[in-house]
């Protein structure tokens, strides 16, 4: 091989990713091409240096204990209770069942009746908190 | 006790088994996160998040593969996608400006530590994808297939990231040497 291989191919050679024939061809080229030799040596030095980076001890005692499965059940119960509470509250506020769709995002706000709009506004912070909790769990 | 046995125990409801896994891998996860993110406080948050996520998804872990690969890939993916809000960004800038590195002493310059610092600084100049690929492949010595799977890209893409990252670092170091 007289011309230099494409750089990405030369790089693949250093990792042994090529087939045997190509590996040999590049090896032969390297014996006569200083430019490619220099490149290969540089890459090898870089990967050696990354390999040699030391591990850093994690700051002590900062990891919080994991929630136990027991807690998970409690969370599910708490969320269910919240949802039941919201449903009851909407019912009492006089929001009709089709309008409930708004609260899961299927109905635009402007199509709600006035009482439902008021209910929706009051529920905003609560809804936000619930979503944060769910996001945190996910 | 092996990692697989600890995972098994954990799935059976023994929560202390997971603490053992955390003890075993926290330094490794933290180091990887720090090398990717370049900020110890951020890395600490991500380490916590990685273990929490591993814990809640333990049932998805495929026991035929090493637990370390699964955990570190999960952590790397979190780091790759990690975004900070403005407030956190500001806090880090302030910390960084307060902790301006003092000029290295002669000893430091001559020794390993300064070279390691330089390398970490140059790593931070790379696109995050290239940095993650380089660290998983050379620092954690993970197989290409595991990296590709973890980052949801074909193996060819990982190879290209490794090539570009390594080439940029080589060039920058040459430039620094003048
Ligand atoms: Zn050549």
């Amino acid at each position: 091989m007289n011309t230099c291989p494409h750089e990405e191919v030369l790089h693949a050679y250093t990792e042994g990713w090529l087939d045997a024939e190509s590996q040999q061809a590049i090896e032969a080229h390297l014996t006569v091409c200083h430019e490619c030799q220099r490149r290969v040596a540089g890459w090898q030095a870089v990967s050696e240096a990354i390999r040699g980076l030391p591990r850093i001890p994690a700051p002590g005692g900062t990891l919080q204990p994991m929630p136990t499965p027991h807690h998970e059940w409690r969370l599910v119960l708490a969320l269910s209770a919240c949802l039941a509470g919201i449903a009851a509250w909407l019912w009492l506020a006089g929001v009709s069942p089709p309008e409930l769709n708004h609260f899961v995002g299927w109905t635009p706000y402007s199509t709600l009746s006035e009482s439902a709009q008021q209910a929706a506004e009051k529920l905003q912070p609560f809804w936000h908190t619930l979503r944060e909790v769910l996001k945190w769990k996910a | 006790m092996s990692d697989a046995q600890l995972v098994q125990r954990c799935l059976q409801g023994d929560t202390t088994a997971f603490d053992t896994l955390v003890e075993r891998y926290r330094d490794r996860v933290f180091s990887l996160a720090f090398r990717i993110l370049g900020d110890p406080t951020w890395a600490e948050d991500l380490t916590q998040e990685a273990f929490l996520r591993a814990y809640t998804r333990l049932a998805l872990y495929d026991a035929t593969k090493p637990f370390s690969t699964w955990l570190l890939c999960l952590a790397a993916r979190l780091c790759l996608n990690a975004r900070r809000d403005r407030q956190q960004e500001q806090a880090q800038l302030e910390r960084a400006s307060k902790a301006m590195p003092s000029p290295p002493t002669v000893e430091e310059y001559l020794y390993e530590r300064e070279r390691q610092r330089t390398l970490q600084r140059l790593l931070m100049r790379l696109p995050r994808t290239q940095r993650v690929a380089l660290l998983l492949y050379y620092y954690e010595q993970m197989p290409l297939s595991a990296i590709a799977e973890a980052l949801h890209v074909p193996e060819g893409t990982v190879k290209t990231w490794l090539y570009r990252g390594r080439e940029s670092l080589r060039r920058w170091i040459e430039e620094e040497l003048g």
Side-chain angles (χ1 to χ4, degrees):
Chain A
M1 194 190 286
N2 296 320
T3 52
C4 293
H6 186 279
E7 234 185 61
E8 198 163 350
V9 177
L10 185 64
H11 181 262
Y13 159 83
T14 67
E15 293 296 336
W17 292 334
L18 303 173
D19 58 73
E21 201 183 327
S22 312
Q23 288 283 133
Q24 275 166 15
I26 292 184
E27 214 158 293
H29 173 75
L30 281 175
T31 59
V32 295
C33 179
H34 288 285
E35 190 50 37
C36 285
Q37 266 176 28
R38 202 171 58 96
R39 230 164 228 164
V40 168
W43 289 332
Q44 261 149 7
V46 164
S47 46
E48 277 310 310
I50 296 175
R51 243 179 239 126
L53 284 173
R55 289 249 158 83
I56 312 151
T62 49
L63 288 185
Q64 291 155 20
M66 295 297 144
T68 64
H70 187 62
H71 284 134
E72 305 248 312
W73 277 112
R74 266 196 253 171
L75 189 75
V76 169
L77 275 177
L79 285 175
S80 313
C82 279
L83 286 169
I86 293 171
W89 191 81
L90 285 168
W91 179 266
L92 290 173
V95 178
S96 69
E99 285 170 336
L100 281 176
N101 281 339
H102 166 72
F103 295 94
V104 281
W106 295 331
T107 310
Y109 185 78
S110 56
T111 63
L112 296 178
S113 72
E114 205 168 309
S115 67
Q117 281 186 16
Q118 279 169 2
E121 270 158 26
K122 280 183 197 156
L123 264 181
Q124 277 306 322
F126 196 62
W127 188 240
H128 182 73
T129 313
L130 190 68
R131 278 209 341 236
E132 284 303 308
V133 170
L134 287 171
K135 225 165 52 188
W136 173 74
K137 276 316 288 172
Chain B
M1 203 180 295
S2 74
D3 290 351
Q5 284 170 316
L6 284 168
V7 170
Q8 200 52 42
R9 285 201 171 201
C10 200
L11 289 172
Q12 285 160 359
D14 175 3
T15 48
T16 58
F18 197 76
D19 296 340
T20 311
L21 286 170
V22 171
E23 266 323 301
R24 209 170 269 185
Y25 286 109
R26 54 187 290 172
D27 286 357
R28 219 165 139 186
V29 171
F30 175 77
S31 297
L32 178 65
F34 172 75
R35 301 270 174 223
I36 296 172
L37 302 167
D39 174 49
T41 313
W42 198 9
E44 214 178 310
D45 289 348
L46 262 289
T47 303
Q48 172 76 36
E49 206 180 324
F51 279 114
L52 187 65
R53 200 166 280 215
Y55 181 81
T56 54
R57 292 174 190 199
L58 209 54
L60 300 176
Y61 160 62
D62 171 5
T64 60
K65 292 172 187 165
F67 176 75
S68 57
T69 305
W70 182 73
L71 176 67
L72 289 162
C73 282
L74 184 154
R77 200 164 47 236
L78 275 180
C79 290
L80 186 64
N81 298 320
R83 293 279 174 280
R84 281 191 298 188
D85 56 42
R86 268 232 182 109
Q87 216 177 344
Q88 288 168 310
E89 203 75 52
Q90 197 57 39
Q92 198 222 331
L93 282 178
E94 272 165 33
R95 270 201 309 279
S97 66
K98 268 183 211 149
M100 270 308 247
S102 45
T105 61
V106 177
E107 299 94 292
E108 269 188 338
Y109 199 81
L110 290 174
Y111 291 113
E112 198 75 10
R113 224 174 93 199
E114 182 55 23
R115 265 190 296 167
Q116 287 161 355
R117 265 208 255 172
T118 305
L119 180 57
Q120 181 64 40
R121 179 168 52 78
L122 294 177
L123 274 168
M124 296 315 293
R125 272 168 67 179
L126 290 172
R128 212 189 285 185
T129 45
Q130 291 176 23
R131 189 161 64 243
V132 169
L134 285 171
L135 288 166
L136 285 180
Y137 193 69
Y138 295 113
Y139 188 53
E140 285 300 342
Q141 306 195 11
M142 270 183 202
L144 272 180
S145 57
I147 302 173
E149 199 185 318
L151 306 181
H152 306 303
V153 292
E155 276 187 33
T157 307
V158 179
K159 287 180 178 174
T160 304
W161 286 342
L162 290 173
Y163 153 63
R164 296 217 176 120
R166 228 169 157 202
E167 170 59 11
S168 298
L169 289 174
R170 186 194 69 81
R171 224 181 34 243
W172 291 336
I173 292 168
E174 246 180 25
E175 280 165 17
E176 296 227 342
L177 292 173

